[in-house]
Amino acid sequence: MKKILTSLAALLLVMGSALAQRGLNSNPIFRGLVVPDEKMVITEARGGSMATYKLSYYRSVSFLADAALATKVSALVEADAAAYKSVETEKGGAFLTYAMIQTKSKNKDNRYLCYQARSVAEGLWKVTLLYLEGSATIEDLQSMFEKQ
């Protein structure tokens, strides 16, 4: 019985994670449909550990991408930037290199999509996407990211 309850709890957590980014063009990236999960570093946190940052949910994915994959990911994030209140974006050459996007609020929480792509070698990019929910404002996030 304990095993069944543990499995059910794990399933609900995974389902909740998948639903968090629903409605975003970049959701397939978070779901492992663009880059396989085993090629991404995935970090997820929710609840009390995030309260210091005024966040209730944090999810990040990062991976290495060649130019073709980086361009594909960039296009998905750019579609989100166009669809929602885009706070800040930067382009370098053919694709987006930085974005901080405020999406539609959910349950009084602010929702954000943050993106960065930086060159690590000729034709190779490190791409990082963050999905954040909480009471944090854009100014809070910008302050937090400046410290890093």
Side-chain angles (χ1 to χ4, degrees):
M1 182 68 165
K2 191 174 185 180
K3 221 178 203 181
I4 293 171
L5 289 176
T6 303
S7 296
L8 183 60
L11 179 63
L12 289 174
L13 179 63
V14 168
M15 286 176 56
S17 300
L19 295 176
Q21 296 86 223
R22 187 174 30 184
L24 296 177
N25 293 293
S26 53
N27 188 27
I29 302 165
F30 287 98
R31 293 181 53 213
L33 301 175
V34 176
V35 178
D37 283 346
E38 60 271 6
K39 293 191 176 191
M40 292 193 292
V41 175
I42 302 169
T43 305
E44 186 173 17
R46 64 173 70 241
S49 63
M50 301 307 300
T52 303
Y53 305 104
K54 299 181 185 177
L55 297 173
S56 56
Y57 182 69
Y58 168 96
R59 180 161 185 168
S60 74
V61 296
S62 62
F63 51 89
L64 294 176
D66 61 15
L69 179 57
T71 300
K72 181 179 183 176
V73 170
S74 170
L76 292 170
V77 176
E78 282 187 277
D80 285 328
Y84 295 102
K85 180 182 174 185
S86 178
V87 175
E88 190 175 347
T89 60
E90 291 177 17
K91 258 189 146 173
F95 57 89
L96 200 62
T97 56
Y98 172 82
M100 186 178 293
I101 302 162
Q102 183 171 5
T103 69
K104 198 170 19 173
S105 294
K106 176 182 161 189
N107 301 333
K108 297 184 183 179
D109 276 344
N110 295 320
R111 295 175 49 194
Y112 302 98
L113 176 66
C114 304
Y115 164 88
Q116 180 181 41
R118 59 184 169 82
S119 178
V120 293
E122 184 67 34
L124 191 62
W125 296 81
K126 176 159 187 197
V127 177
T128 304
L129 281 131
L130 304 176
Y131 173 81
L132 311 166
E133 288 182 5
S135 63
T137 64
I138 288 291
E139 293 78 18
D140 292 331
L141 295 180
Q142 288 171 333
S143 173
M144 187 179 355
F145 294 147
E146 281 177 12
K147 294 177 185 175
Q148 310 233 353

